[in-house]
């Protein structure tokens, strides 16, 4: 082997050695760069997932009779987190057709960019206090007597006014002009209670005694 050939072989091997050393130094940085690129890609994807769709969807509202309606449009949205605050602030709420003092279903509206969205407000009866039991009197009235209209004349217990106001009396089956035994009832909070009313003819004993004394 000539000296010139030896120099070429040595030079080639030296170059390969240098390339190996450089690759060993740069490899960790290359791996690190690729790793950072993946992390950035994941973060970008997460931001896209959390984007707001700004779709306006209303929820049905249920409210006890006599309570005050909210005037905040935010409280009527089913998906407030999906709508930008800048849009929510421009929503126009209209609950003028809702009567909070009468049980029933009413329509409310929200307007945005001349588009009207409809929702429902249900006014429900106020929750009543629980009563363990209600005891009714067994009553008797002389024929022709007008039946009492005060609910306390039919109930033995001393109940609060809130309960008395919610009790419904039914004496429609009782005929005060005809002697006999009749059932009457009251209803409260889904429960029905019944007892008897007797319509009787006046006793004539006193009249007969008086007439006999006059004849004597």
């Amino acid at each position: 082997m000539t000296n010139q050939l030896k120099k070429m072989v040595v030079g080639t091997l030296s170059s390969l050695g240098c390339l190996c050393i450089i690759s060993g130094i740069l490899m960790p940085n290359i791996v690190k760069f690729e790793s950072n690129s993946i992390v950035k890609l994941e973060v970008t994807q997460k931001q896209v997932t959390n984007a707001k769709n700004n779709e306006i969807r209303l929820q049905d509202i249920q409210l006890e009779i006599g309570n005050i309606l909210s005037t905040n449009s935010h409280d009527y949205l089913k998906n407030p987190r999906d709508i930008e605050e800048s849009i929510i602030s421009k929503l126009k709420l209209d609950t003028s057709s809702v009567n909070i003092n009468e049980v029933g279903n009413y329509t409310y509206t929200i307007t945005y960019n001349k588009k009207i969205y409809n929702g429902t407000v249900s006014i429900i009866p106020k929750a009543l206090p629980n009563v363990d039991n209600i005891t009714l009197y067994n009553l008797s009235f002389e024929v022709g007597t007008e039946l009492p209209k005060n609910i306390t004349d039919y109930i033995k217990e001393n109940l609060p006014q809130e309960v008395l106001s919610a009790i419904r009396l039914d004496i429609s089956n009782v005929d005060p002009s005809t002697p006999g035994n009749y059932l009457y009832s009251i209803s409260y909070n889904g429960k029905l209670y019944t007892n008897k009313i007797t319509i009787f003819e006046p006793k004539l004993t006193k009249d007969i005694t008086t007439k006999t004394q006059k004849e004597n």
Side-chain angles (χ1 to χ4, degrees):
M1 182 180 295
T2 63
N3 290 332
Q4 186 176 0
L5 182 60
K6 289 180 179 180
K7 290 180 180 179
M8 290 179 61
V9 173
V10 171
T12 301
L13 292 175
S14 298
S15 298
L16 290 174
C18 291
L19 288 174
C20 291
I21 293 171
I22 293 172
S23 298
I25 294 172
L26 293 179
M27 185 59 68
N29 292 328
I30 294 173
V31 172
K32 183 178 180 181
F33 174 79
E34 292 178 351
S35 176
N36 289 339
S37 299
I38 295 173
V39 171
K40 289 181 180 179
L41 179 61
E42 291 177 350
V43 171
T44 302
Q45 185 176 2
K46 184 176 181 181
Q47 290 175 346
V48 172
T49 302
N50 290 336
K52 298 180 183 296
N53 57 32
N54 292 325
E55 179 187 0
I56 296 175
R57 296 164 55 200
L58 304 185
Q59 62 176 326
D60 292 335
I61 306 297
Q62 194 174 78
L63 193 71
E64 281 190 357
I65 188 170
N67 285 350
I68 304 300
L69 272 173
S70 172
T71 58
N72 190 343
S73 300
H74 190 281
D75 296 333
Y76 295 82
L77 297 173
K78 185 180 290 186
N79 58 332
R81 294 183 178 180
D82 294 334
I83 305 174
E84 295 177 7
E85 287 297 330
S86 59
I87 293 178
I88 294 179
S89 63
K90 296 178 182 178
L91 301 180
K92 294 182 179 180
L93 172 67
D94 183 4
T95 59
S96 58
S97 65
V98 181
N99 185 356
I100 60 174
N101 296 313
E102 185 173 342
V103 174
N105 295 321
Y106 304 89
T107 298
Y108 73 90
T109 63
I110 281 183
T111 305
Y112 177 70
N113 278 350
K114 297 182 180 181
K115 186 174 181 179
I116 298 176
Y117 302 85
N118 295 320
T120 301
V121 175
S122 298
I123 304 299
I124 61 174
K126 187 176 181 180
L128 296 172
N130 289 326
V131 176
D132 293 334
N133 190 45
I134 296 178
T135 309
L136 303 184
Y137 288 114
N138 188 344
L139 300 172
S140 296
F141 298 99
E142 187 176 300
V143 65
T145 302
E146 184 179 358
L147 298 178
K149 296 180 180 179
N150 194 334
I151 195 67
T152 56
D153 292 329
Y154 297 87
I155 299 174
K156 293 183 179 181
E157 287 83 7
N158 185 19
L159 300 175
Q161 187 58 45
E162 184 180 9
V163 174
L164 294 175
S165 299
I167 290 177
R168 296 293 175 262
L169 172 67
D170 184 3
I171 52 175
S172 59
N173 292 326
V174 183
D175 183 2
S177 65
T178 304
N181 294 319
Y182 303 90
L183 286 179
Y184 76 97
S185 66
I186 67 162
S187 57
Y188 174 74
N189 205 17
K191 294 182 179 180
L192 186 68
Y193 305 86
T194 62
N195 210 331
K196 185 175 67 173
I197 289 179
T198 299
I199 303 298
F200 62 90
E201 295 209 17
K203 296 181 180 179
L204 302 177
T205 305
K206 183 177 179 180
D207 294 338
I208 294 174
T209 302
T210 303
K211 183 177 180 181
T212 303
Q213 288 175 347
K214 287 181 179 180
E215 290 177 349
N216 292 338

